[in-house]
């Protein structure tokens, strides 16, 4: 068993306020071996992400690493890194000793529903699987979850858990899309999936980011935990025996026919 804290926090434009929330959440994540925070935990989405972006050795990630080390828990959190002309939307993975183990730069940018993430964010290129808390974790960021080929690439790299981090936008059917897509990625890959979104922040509600609904989904697509819409921390358990049992009953990964082409 691996104990994972789903850390559904509201996010402010102020990185120092968000770092305080991370520290408070880790203090509440009793017994967790891995804590997962939302996309854009550094600062709330908006034009200021270009000036507030920090390198991975900057004060925000360094503060998160210090808190991880203090509490003896690995952490995944979303940040923005400076780039030559635009920032990277990055999921940083930190081990329980406070060392950065991986950084995944979001591949699929949210140029949909009237948004244009690519105006501020440069696209990443490489899928990332990182070992944390004894698990090989495949990293997925928000809009990425709409693209099953990324999840399959992570499976092929040996992922044992998907960590999906998001600042999911609100709107008609959007919450339903989130739930359906997270469950689909879990079921089609018979994979434990821990999905963590921002809680709504009433002080910043005009931008629509953050619907909550962080959840743990098992390898047969069953929702084992759902945090609803408000802020919250919940520690859940991932059991590899459930994965083995699911894949015995539903060996769909073995049944893949690679290289299928249109006639």
């Amino acid at each position: 068993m691996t104990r994972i804290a789903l850390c559904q926090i509201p996010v402010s434009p102020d990185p120092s306020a968000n770092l305080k929330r991370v520290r408070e959440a880790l203090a509440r994540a009793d017994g967790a071996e891995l804590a997962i925070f939302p996309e854009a935990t550094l600062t709330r989405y908006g034009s200021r992400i270009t000036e507030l972006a920090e390198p991975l050795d900057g004060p925000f990630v360094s503060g998160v690493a210090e808190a991880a080390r203090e509490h003896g828990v690995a952490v995944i959190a979303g940040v923005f890194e400076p780039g030559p002309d635009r920032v990277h939307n990055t999921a940083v993975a930190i081990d329980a000793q406070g060392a950065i183990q991986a950084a995944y730069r979001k591949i699929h940018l949210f140029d949909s529903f009237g948004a244009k993430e690519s105006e501020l964010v440069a696209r990443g290129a490489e899928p990332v699987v990182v070992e944390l808390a004894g698990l090989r974790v495949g990293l997925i960021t928000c809009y990425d979850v709409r693209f099953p080929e990324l999840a399959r690439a992570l499976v092929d790299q040996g992922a044992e858990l998907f960590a999906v981090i998001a600042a999911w936008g609100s709107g008609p059917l959007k919450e339903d899309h989130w739930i359906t897509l997270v469950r689909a990625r879990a079921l089609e890959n018979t994979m434990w999936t821990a999905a963590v979104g921002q809680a709504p922040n009433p002080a910043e509600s005009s931008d629509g980011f953050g619907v909550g609904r962080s959840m743990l989904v098992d390898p047969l697509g069953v929702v084992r935990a759902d945090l609803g819409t408000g802020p919250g921390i919940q520690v859940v358990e991932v059991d590899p025996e459930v994965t083995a049992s699911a894949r015995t009953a539903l060996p769909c990964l073995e049944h893949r026919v690679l290289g299928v082409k249109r006639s």
Side-chain angles (χ1 to χ4, degrees):
M1 296 275 195
T2 302
R3 291 172 60 80
I4 297 173
L6 309 178
C7 299
Q8 182 169 289
I9 62 171
V11 173
S12 161
D14 179 4
S16 63
N18 297 325
L19 180 56
K20 181 180 179 183
R21 287 181 175 132
V22 169
R23 288 177 169 144
E24 290 171 347
L26 292 180
R28 292 174 55 195
D30 188 41
E33 299 160 79
L34 170 62
I36 304 175
F37 289 87
E39 176 188 26
T41 298
L42 167 69
T43 183
R44 197 166 185 84
Y45 260 108
S47 59
R48 291 191 67 205
I49 64 173
T50 54
E51 64 183 90
L52 294 173
E54 296 182 6
L56 296 184
D57 59 357
F60 185 83
V61 174
S62 296
V64 174
E66 179 184 1
R69 184 168 56 250
E70 177 186 348
H71 293 283
V73 58
V75 173
I76 295 168
V79 300
F80 297 106
E81 292 180 271
D85 56 348
R86 291 166 291 169
V87 301
H88 284 292
N89 183 344
T90 301
V92 62
I94 300 167
D95 68 19
Q97 289 72 49
I100 295 174
Q101 293 299 317
Y104 164 64
R105 296 175 178 93
K106 186 178 181 183
I107 292 173
H108 300 97
L109 302 182
F110 185 57
D111 289 359
S112 298
F113 293 103
K116 195 75 172 176
E117 185 177 14
S118 63
E119 291 180 348
L120 298 174
V121 178
R123 187 175 75 85
E126 298 294 330
V128 173
V129 175
V130 59
E131 186 161 334
L132 294 172
L135 286 174
R136 289 182 57 78
V137 182
L139 302 177
I140 296 173
T141 301
C142 204
Y143 192 52
D144 280 334
V145 78
R146 293 185 181 270
F147 300 89
E149 56 270 28
L150 174 60
R152 280 290 163 89
L154 297 172
V155 170
D156 289 340
Q157 290 182 25
E160 299 167 308
L161 168 79
F162 294 146
V164 183
I165 64 172
W168 203 258
S170 60
L173 297 177
K174 290 293 298 302
E175 187 175 320
D176 187 57
H177 290 186
W178 165 254
I179 296 164
T180 301
L181 289 160
V182 169
R183 294 185 67 191
R185 297 297 83 84
L187 176 56
E188 71 194 2
N189 294 292
T190 50
M191 181 77 72
W192 283 103
T193 300
V196 177
Q198 290 183 15
N201 185 341
E204 305 291 338
S205 60
S206 61
D207 62 23
F209 291 118
V211 300
R213 299 306 301 270
S214 301
M215 62 185 71
L216 179 71
V217 183
D218 75 16
L220 289 178
V222 177
V223 177
R224 296 291 190 99
D226 183 334
L227 273 64
T229 57
I233 314 298
Q234 184 169 344
V235 177
V236 295
E237 291 186 340
V238 168
D239 184 350
E241 292 187 5
V242 173
T243 304
S245 176
R247 291 181 177 176
T248 297
L250 179 63
C252 57
L253 294 177
E254 297 176 23
H255 294 163
R256 286 192 294 168
V257 178
L258 302 179
V260 174
K261 298 179 181 178
R262 289 180 290 182
S263 58

